[in-house]
Amino acid sequence: MGERFVVVPVDGGVRVAVEGVHSDAVVSDPAPDTGSSTTGGGTVDDREAGEDSVFEPQDPDAVVPILEYNREPNKYGDGVPKENSPFINNTDIDKGNSYDGTNMALFEEEMDSNPMVSSLLNKLANYTNLTQGAQEHEEAEEDEGPKKKAVKSPQMGTFMGVYLPCLQNILGVILFLRLTWIVGTAGILESLAIVALCCSCTMLTAISMSAIATNGVVPAGGSYYMISRSLGPEFGGAVGLCFYLGTTFAGSMYILGTIEILLTYIVPKAAIFVAEKKEDEVDALLNNMRVYGTCCLALMSIVVFVGVKYVNKLALVFLACVILSILAIYAGVIKTIFEPPDFPVCMLGNRTLQNHNFDSCLKMEVIGNMTVTTKLWKLFCDGSEFNATCNEFFINNNVTSIQGIPGLTSGVISENMWSVYGPLGMMVENKNLSSFGGSDPAQDIYMPYVVNDITTFFTLLVGIYFPSVTGIMAGSNRSGDLRDAQKSIPIGTIMAIATTSFIYVTCVVLFGACIEGVLLRDKFGDSVKGNLVIGTLSWPSPWVIVIGSFFSCCGAGLQSLTGAPRLLQAIARDGIVPFLQVFGHGKANGEPTWALLLTAGICEIGILIASLDAVAPILSMFFLMCYLFVNLACAVQTLLRTPNWRPRFKYYHWALSFLGMSLCLALMFISSWYYAIVAMVIAGCIYKYIEYRGAEKEWGDGIRGLSLNAARYALIRLEEAPPHTKNWRPQLLVLLNVDSDQGVKHPRLLSLTTQLKAGKGLTIVGNVLEGTYLTKDAEAKRAEQNIKSAMSTEKTKGFCHVVVSSNLRDGFSHLIQSAGLGGMKHNTVLMGWPGTWRQSNDPQSWKNFIETVRETTAAHHALLVAKNVDSFPTNQDRLGEGTIDVWWVVHDGGMLMLLPFLLRQHKVWRKCKMRIFTVAQMDDNSIQMKKDLQMFLYHLRLDAEVEVVEMHDNDISAFTYEKTLVMEQRSQMLKQMQLSRTEREREAQLIHDRNTASHAAINDKAESGPEQVHMTWTKDKLFTERNRNRECNANVAVRDLFNMKPEWESLNQSNVRRMHTAVKLNEVVVNKSQGAHLVLLNMPGPPKNRGGDENYMEFLEVLLEGLNRVLLVRGGGREVITIYS
């Protein structure tokens, strides 16, 4: 069968892998020194340090090793968006192999970056997917020599590579220690329901897992890798850590099982704590478990630390123990048909007795023609005499002996069909036997009865049983050892689950059909002299099961302590959970030392719990959560139909995955609702932590695809209708300038954006570079990177869009027209005032500004222009008591009202009060206007002070005429004369000096009192104006008022009126709002005749003169605020 090659995006680039070859998640990296292993021509640390900049050129001397396949999980999808492949865009691979043929001359210019297919396939010929086997010290030393060891290609088939490892992981401690007790307590029918629930869950999960595992190579990390690459780093990290905790607690459970077998069935006399009273037996057992469990954990940790290869070599021995034990059970069942084993159970009335301290199940026996009391008598009486005081129940009931294992043909199956649940301390009774009264509960607890050690109910048994079906990931975790992983993993895993399901179902039925109910419910075999209950059924000896289960639990515990640290190391090396970074390091040969220490510490918590029945539901939760997300990953990928979703395993369906997911969730809450909530809270906390603090990763995960689909759906829905006024908020397009080094010129514009938006709605930060994209692409990317960095610094949440255009005018036009997508388009443009337009040699700067104003008006967008933007507060500033003054001259749809409200939501402006000024004309009723405005604000639910300023129709001042004249003269001169640069600068300085003088005049007038606002022209003011102009500009003749009239008459009267408005309004605004933190003012529209554009800029300069922070506002032609709810 021909191999198929897949190009997998990894490490910011493209790795090429032979599909069908996976790696081992349980064992570590092959590199002898993880700190110096080279990938891409440098150390791992070098690569990680250079990840942050995607635009820096690659080292020209770096040689990318094609044939090395490093499977460290953090080398897969490290978030670098630009791909760089050892095959694509790599000029160093084929140095010396220049192409000089003629057949492919059409492609000869691309040979440096895109190699020939034959060249690619030739390099893949020597590719090998090495197993992730941990090297021991001596192996690492040998590898350092000049000659490397010959690498054997993976040769394992389905049976040895997947089927048997899965079998070993699935069958284990619960089968040997708890299944008989579950059958006896729940009954055959309910036990079958438990087995069916759990096995269905794992079978559905295996189907989903097979689909994911056959959709490309699964490197180190196993299930963690599958989930994280399918659902993203947040889910991957959360579920990966849950799976790690589950594996760790599984280690605790196996160690507890090992100690339980050791102390209960092999050497009971080794117990350190011995109960003197019967009621203390449970506590003594738990304390023994804690002491011996801790010792066992320490020993196993040392074994794992010293050498994992010994664990791997012993795995086959442990597996043989499991298989022999199961065969012994079936052999024992068959033997019961012909010759049932002799394990009598002593009953007092209908109560089961513990058979530790007596030999014969009799009250009295005849020895040498003498009737004497037995040891049993002494347990219930205060002496061995016949007249001793005895327990009343003991006197009233007979002692009988029943066969513990009556055999397959005995018909006991009908009695074991139904459940027998009960509380803690309930006696194990046989309902077929009669008993007579005299029971004293206060005394019964001291008697040698077999009782329930915990309260039993159906959901508890589900939680205790579920760990016995886990372990289905063993095949996918060892995929690097497989000859054909794409074929072996599905077949091996599903066959292993089918086999173990068959074993569990048959065991449930056979146990119920062969073993007496009271013996089944006897958890520790107290009624059969402390024998393992399942051992009593086995052939040829109970010791086969005892020894087999002991080694099985030992092996499983070692496997957990081997696998869990490597899983944690894989998560740590991915870099998604910052505080786990230290656990990514290990010994020189890659052994995860720190991770092993943490694993042992968590494992100790489970051992201190000490009860197998209490630990089992904990790890059930974590495994169920892992399986839930495996199903979710498969379902999401299937429904999204992502192009890369091409599993070799075809027998999957999203409905099966959803069913498996629902079953996992149901089992979590069935097993233990409070543990389920705790597990989900832990996973949720890890998810949020990774989301806020973790490294950003792009792994092509399904959740990102889901987000894209949801975004597409939402955008299509949004486009159906424009937003209602109640939902309107400024969706900003911020026009940002960059300097020659592509650094952001005015970062305070981004601060204002953040304060205005508070993270809500859409923000697009746009920039235009002049030139062509082919020559400016590097600059554009650098500018985009710098803008994103500035956005991050200023906490501006949004998108960045850099456009390269032949001229700035067209670039800004394209941004205004095309930025955004569908319903998520901007409705407001924010830009800075071109403060240096007068000094600029190029009139295009202010012309671009005016054209942008016109285009926003044509596009029905609102416009915000910030003057002196560099003086605006940063996000760290906290403005004290002050005001935000709104000058509402013309109605703009309510923008002027809405903006201060939005600003005051941010902590920078929170202490500022809002004042609204409106202008009354001669024929307006200012008192009524104020009342109406106050009522309007009340209905808008806005708190603001209201003031109405009256502006009378006064005579136009000589000052206004003079400013208009100077403005027109300057405009005319610039149009008619091609001034040199020096002359332009001189002219700009002249205008600047005159404006300074004019500003001083305005301040003088403002200081004379508010009544001077409504000024008229007087003779004194004429001489003051004349003298000031003479002092400022000696070369400008200032004539007598009457001599200047002819020049005034030649002025454009429209310009005179506009200048008059600008001067008068500026006087009023400066007088009222000079001390305000921010002034919001209606922005007049540009003239329809483009010939007056320069005059328009002068009008705005006059209007804003003397004000510090100003935000000019121009509405978008629609209402943005409403009084209705």
Side-chain angles (χ1 to χ4, degrees), residues 781-801:
K781 288 172 182 174
R782 190 158 60 250
E784 185 173 355
Q785 194 77 3
N786 292 341
I787 292 172
K788 284 181 177 177
S789 175
M791 289 172 69
S792 176
T793 304
E794 300 295 337
K795 299 180 180 176
T796 305
K797 295 180 179 178
F799 308 98
C800 176
H801 196 177

PDB file of all heavy atoms in Angstrom, residues 781-801:
ATOM      1  N   LYS A 781       3.668  45.804   6.988  1.00  0.00           N
ATOM      2  CA  LYS A 781       3.601  44.811   8.061  1.00  0.00           C
ATOM      3  C   LYS A 781       4.225  45.342   9.344  1.00  0.00           C
ATOM      4  O   LYS A 781       3.723  45.094  10.442  1.00  0.00           O
ATOM      5  CB  LYS A 781       4.294  43.523   7.618  1.00  0.00           C
ATOM      6  CG  LYS A 781       3.498  42.759   6.567  1.00  0.00           C
ATOM      7  CD  LYS A 781       4.285  41.606   5.998  1.00  0.00           C
ATOM      8  CE  LYS A 781       3.475  40.895   4.904  1.00  0.00           C
ATOM      9  NZ  LYS A 781       4.244  39.852   4.219  1.00  0.00           N
ATOM     10  N   ARG A 782       5.315  46.099   9.184  1.00  0.00           N
ATOM     11  CA  ARG A 782       5.946  46.680  10.368  1.00  0.00           C
ATOM     12  C   ARG A 782       5.024  47.705  11.013  1.00  0.00           C
ATOM     13  O   ARG A 782       4.905  47.774  12.235  1.00  0.00           O
ATOM     14  CB  ARG A 782       7.287  47.305   9.982  1.00  0.00           C
ATOM     15  CG  ARG A 782       8.120  47.724  11.176  1.00  0.00           C
ATOM     16  CD  ARG A 782       9.596  47.829  10.859  1.00  0.00           C
ATOM     17  NE  ARG A 782       9.895  48.801   9.809  1.00  0.00           N
ATOM     18  CZ  ARG A 782      10.326  48.497   8.582  1.00  0.00           C
ATOM     19  NH1 ARG A 782      10.518  47.238   8.244  1.00  0.00           N
ATOM     20  NH2 ARG A 782      10.580  49.428   7.690  1.00  0.00           N
ATOM     21  N   ALA A 783       4.378  48.511  10.174  1.00  0.00           N
ATOM     22  CA  ALA A 783       3.428  49.496  10.705  1.00  0.00           C
ATOM     23  C   ALA A 783       2.278  48.805  11.422  1.00  0.00           C
ATOM     24  O   ALA A 783       1.856  49.227  12.506  1.00  0.00           O
ATOM     25  CB  ALA A 783       2.894  50.364   9.564  1.00  0.00           C
ATOM     26  N   GLU A 784       1.784  47.715  10.823  1.00  0.00           N
ATOM     27  CA  GLU A 784       0.691  46.976  11.452  1.00  0.00           C
ATOM     28  C   GLU A 784       1.114  46.408  12.797  1.00  0.00           C
ATOM     29  O   GLU A 784       0.375  46.470  13.786  1.00  0.00           O
ATOM     30  CB  GLU A 784       0.229  45.855  10.513  1.00  0.00           C
ATOM     31  CG  GLU A 784      -0.986  45.113  11.016  1.00  0.00           C
ATOM     32  CD  GLU A 784      -1.523  44.123  10.001  1.00  0.00           C
ATOM     33  OE1 GLU A 784      -1.007  44.089   8.866  1.00  0.00           O
ATOM     34  OE2 GLU A 784      -2.452  43.387  10.345  1.00  0.00           O
ATOM     35  N   GLN A 785       2.345  45.887  12.845  1.00  0.00           N
ATOM     36  CA  GLN A 785       2.854  45.338  14.108  1.00  0.00           C
ATOM     37  C   GLN A 785       2.970  46.429  15.161  1.00  0.00           C
ATOM     38  O   GLN A 785       2.604  46.239  16.329  1.00  0.00           O
ATOM     39  CB  GLN A 785       4.226  44.701  13.857  1.00  0.00           C
ATOM     40  CG  GLN A 785       4.719  43.814  14.981  1.00  0.00           C
ATOM     41  CD  GLN A 785       4.026  42.469  14.990  1.00  0.00           C
ATOM     42  OE1 GLN A 785       3.222  42.186  14.119  1.00  0.00           O
ATOM     43  NE2 GLN A 785       4.312  41.653  15.976  1.00  0.00           N
ATOM     44  N   ASN A 786       3.492  47.598  14.757  1.00  0.00           N
ATOM     45  CA  ASN A 786       3.646  48.712  15.702  1.00  0.00           C
ATOM     46  C   ASN A 786       2.302  49.229  16.185  1.00  0.00           C
ATOM     47  O   ASN A 786       2.133  49.567  17.362  1.00  0.00           O
ATOM     48  CB  ASN A 786       4.432  49.847  15.057  1.00  0.00           C
ATOM     49  CG  ASN A 786       5.878  49.475  14.801  1.00  0.00           C
ATOM     50  OD1 ASN A 786       6.391  48.539  15.403  1.00  0.00           O
ATOM     51  ND2 ASN A 786       6.549  50.184  13.890  1.00  0.00           N
ATOM     52  N   ILE A 787       1.337  49.285  15.278  1.00  0.00           N
ATOM     53  CA  ILE A 787      -0.001  49.759  15.677  1.00  0.00           C
ATOM     54  C   ILE A 787      -0.641  48.769  16.642  1.00  0.00           C
ATOM     55  O   ILE A 787      -1.241  49.159  17.648  1.00  0.00           O
ATOM     56  CB  ILE A 787      -0.887  49.981  14.427  1.00  0.00           C
ATOM     57  CG1 ILE A 787      -0.370  51.163  13.614  1.00  0.00           C
ATOM     58  CG2 ILE A 787      -2.340  50.221  14.834  1.00  0.00           C
ATOM     59  CD1 ILE A 787      -1.047  51.349  12.271  1.00  0.00           C
ATOM     60  N   LYS A 788      -0.495  47.475  16.358  1.00  0.00           N
ATOM     61  CA  LYS A 788      -1.052  46.470  17.266  1.00  0.00           C
ATOM     62  C   LYS A 788      -0.389  46.548  18.638  1.00  0.00           C
ATOM     63  O   LYS A 788      -1.054  46.389  19.666  1.00  0.00           O
ATOM     64  CB  LYS A 788      -0.877  45.058  16.674  1.00  0.00           C
ATOM     65  CG  LYS A 788      -1.855  44.749  15.562  1.00  0.00           C
ATOM     66  CD  LYS A 788      -1.651  43.337  15.028  1.00  0.00           C
ATOM     67  CE  LYS A 788      -2.679  43.010  13.955  1.00  0.00           C
ATOM     68  NZ  LYS A 788      -2.476  41.673  13.370  1.00  0.00           N
ATOM     69  N   SER A 789       0.911  46.800  18.638  1.00  0.00           N
ATOM     70  CA  SER A 789       1.618  46.938  19.908  1.00  0.00           C
ATOM     71  C   SER A 789       1.102  48.148  20.681  1.00  0.00           C
ATOM     72  O   SER A 789       0.881  48.083  21.891  1.00  0.00           O
ATOM     73  CB  SER A 789       3.115  47.070  19.627  1.00  0.00           C
ATOM     74  OG  SER A 789       3.821  47.309  20.819  1.00  0.00           O
ATOM     75  N   ALA A 790       0.896  49.268  19.957  1.00  0.00           N
ATOM     76  CA  ALA A 790       0.361  50.466  20.610  1.00  0.00           C
ATOM     77  C   ALA A 790      -1.061  50.220  21.110  1.00  0.00           C
ATOM     78  O   ALA A 790      -1.439  50.680  22.198  1.00  0.00           O
ATOM     79  CB  ALA A 790       0.382  51.641  19.629  1.00  0.00           C
ATOM     80  N   MET A 791      -1.857  49.507  20.319  1.00  0.00           N
ATOM     81  CA  MET A 791      -3.222  49.175  20.753  1.00  0.00           C
ATOM     82  C   MET A 791      -3.196  48.344  22.026  1.00  0.00           C
ATOM     83  O   MET A 791      -4.005  48.547  22.933  1.00  0.00           O
ATOM     84  CB  MET A 791      -3.957  48.423  19.641  1.00  0.00           C
ATOM     85  CG  MET A 791      -4.310  49.275  18.445  1.00  0.00           C
ATOM     86  SD  MET A 791      -4.954  48.305  17.063  1.00  0.00           S
ATOM     87  CE  MET A 791      -6.532  47.785  17.722  1.00  0.00           C
ATOM     88  N   SER A 792      -2.265  47.397  22.082  1.00  0.00           N
ATOM     89  CA  SER A 792      -2.143  46.571  23.276  1.00  0.00           C
ATOM     90  C   SER A 792      -1.741  47.421  24.483  1.00  0.00           C
ATOM     91  O   SER A 792      -2.279  47.264  25.578  1.00  0.00           O
ATOM     92  CB  SER A 792      -1.124  45.460  23.030  1.00  0.00           C
ATOM     93  OG  SER A 792      -0.911  44.710  24.187  1.00  0.00           O
ATOM     94  N   THR A 793      -0.791  48.336  24.262  1.00  0.00           N
ATOM     95  CA  THR A 793      -0.340  49.208  25.351  1.00  0.00           C
ATOM     96  C   THR A 793      -1.474  50.082  25.856  1.00  0.00           C
ATOM     97  O   THR A 793      -1.641  50.283  27.059  1.00  0.00           O
ATOM     98  CB  THR A 793       0.828  50.090  24.870  1.00  0.00           C
ATOM     99  OG1 THR A 793       1.868  49.245  24.379  1.00  0.00           O
ATOM    100  CG2 THR A 793       1.351  50.967  25.992  1.00  0.00           C
ATOM    101  N   GLU A 794      -2.256  50.621  24.925  1.00  0.00           N
ATOM    102  CA  GLU A 794      -3.361  51.510  25.299  1.00  0.00           C
ATOM    103  C   GLU A 794      -4.650  50.755  25.607  1.00  0.00           C
ATOM    104  O   GLU A 794      -5.693  51.365  25.818  1.00  0.00           O
ATOM    105  CB  GLU A 794      -3.622  52.513  24.161  1.00  0.00           C
ATOM    106  CG  GLU A 794      -2.438  53.394  23.821  1.00  0.00           C
ATOM    107  CD  GLU A 794      -2.042  54.326  24.956  1.00  0.00           C
ATOM    108  OE1 GLU A 794      -2.907  54.606  25.796  1.00  0.00           O
ATOM    109  OE2 GLU A 794      -0.876  54.748  25.001  1.00  0.00           O
ATOM    110  N   LYS A 795      -4.581  49.414  25.589  1.00  0.00           N
ATOM    111  CA  LYS A 795      -5.735  48.564  25.895  1.00  0.00           C
ATOM    112  C   LYS A 795      -6.916  48.829  24.962  1.00  0.00           C
ATOM    113  O   LYS A 795      -8.071  48.828  25.378  1.00  0.00           O
ATOM    114  CB  LYS A 795      -6.171  48.746  27.356  1.00  0.00           C
ATOM    115  CG  LYS A 795      -5.085  48.353  28.343  1.00  0.00           C
ATOM    116  CD  LYS A 795      -5.533  48.546  29.775  1.00  0.00           C
ATOM    117  CE  LYS A 795      -4.425  48.135  30.735  1.00  0.00           C
ATOM    118  NZ  LYS A 795      -4.785  48.388  32.136  1.00  0.00           N
ATOM    119  N   THR A 796      -6.585  49.068  23.700  1.00  0.00           N
ATOM    120  CA  THR A 796      -7.621  49.275  22.689  1.00  0.00           C
ATOM    121  C   THR A 796      -7.958  47.938  22.060  1.00  0.00           C
ATOM    122  O   THR A 796      -7.097  47.326  21.413  1.00  0.00           O
ATOM    123  CB  THR A 796      -7.129  50.258  21.606  1.00  0.00           C
ATOM    124  OG1 THR A 796      -6.702  51.458  22.235  1.00  0.00           O
ATOM    125  CG2 THR A 796      -8.234  50.563  20.614  1.00  0.00           C
ATOM    126  N   LYS A 797      -9.174  47.484  22.249  1.00  0.00           N
ATOM    127  CA  LYS A 797      -9.579  46.196  21.691  1.00  0.00           C
ATOM    128  C   LYS A 797     -10.207  46.433  20.319  1.00  0.00           C
ATOM    129  O   LYS A 797     -11.229  47.113  20.209  1.00  0.00           O
ATOM    130  CB  LYS A 797     -10.575  45.506  22.623  1.00  0.00           C
ATOM    131  CG  LYS A 797      -9.977  45.126  23.967  1.00  0.00           C
ATOM    132  CD  LYS A 797     -10.994  44.446  24.844  1.00  0.00           C
ATOM    133  CE  LYS A 797     -10.367  44.056  26.195  1.00  0.00           C
ATOM    134  NZ  LYS A 797     -11.332  43.444  27.094  1.00  0.00           N
ATOM    135  N   GLY A 798      -9.590  45.876  19.306  1.00  0.00           N
ATOM    136  CA  GLY A 798     -10.132  46.069  17.970  1.00  0.00           C
ATOM    137  C   GLY A 798      -9.220  45.458  16.931  1.00  0.00           C
ATOM    138  O   GLY A 798      -8.390  44.588  17.218  1.00  0.00           O
ATOM    139  N   PHE A 799      -9.373  45.956  15.699  1.00  0.00           N
ATOM    140  CA  PHE A 799      -8.637  45.402  14.566  1.00  0.00           C
ATOM    141  C   PHE A 799      -7.775  46.488  13.944  1.00  0.00           C
ATOM    142  O   PHE A 799      -8.065  47.673  14.055  1.00  0.00           O
ATOM    143  CB  PHE A 799      -9.615  44.851  13.517  1.00  0.00           C
ATOM    144  CG  PHE A 799     -10.630  43.909  14.090  1.00  0.00           C
ATOM    145  CD1 PHE A 799     -11.906  44.340  14.406  1.00  0.00           C
ATOM    146  CD2 PHE A 799     -10.307  42.587  14.330  1.00  0.00           C
ATOM    147  CE1 PHE A 799     -12.842  43.478  14.948  1.00  0.00           C
ATOM    148  CE2 PHE A 799     -11.233  41.715  14.874  1.00  0.00           C
ATOM    149  CZ  PHE A 799     -12.503  42.167  15.180  1.00  0.00           C
ATOM    150  N   CYS A 800      -6.721  46.040  13.283  1.00  0.00           N
ATOM    151  CA  CYS A 800      -5.795  46.962  12.631  1.00  0.00           C
ATOM    152  C   CYS A 800      -5.847  46.730  11.126  1.00  0.00           C
ATOM    153  O   CYS A 800      -5.900  45.586  10.666  1.00  0.00           O
ATOM    154  CB  CYS A 800      -4.383  46.735  13.167  1.00  0.00           C
ATOM    155  SG  CYS A 800      -3.143  47.737  12.347  1.00  0.00           S
ATOM    156  N   HIS A 801      -5.846  47.820  10.360  1.00  0.00           N
ATOM    157  CA  HIS A 801      -5.951  47.708   8.913  1.00  0.00           C
ATOM    158  C   HIS A 801      -5.010  48.728   8.290  1.00  0.00           C
ATOM    159  O   HIS A 801      -5.259  49.932   8.373  1.00  0.00           O
ATOM    160  CB  HIS A 801      -7.406  47.975   8.498  1.00  0.00           C
ATOM    161  CG  HIS A 801      -7.713  47.528   7.110  1.00  0.00           C
ATOM    162  ND1 HIS A 801      -8.959  47.598   6.541  1.00  0.00           N
ATOM    163  CD2 HIS A 801      -6.912  47.001   6.147  1.00  0.00           C
ATOM    164  CE1 HIS A 801      -8.920  47.142   5.306  1.00  0.00           C
ATOM    165  NE2 HIS A 801      -7.687  46.772   5.054  1.00  0.00           N
TER     166      HIS A 801
END
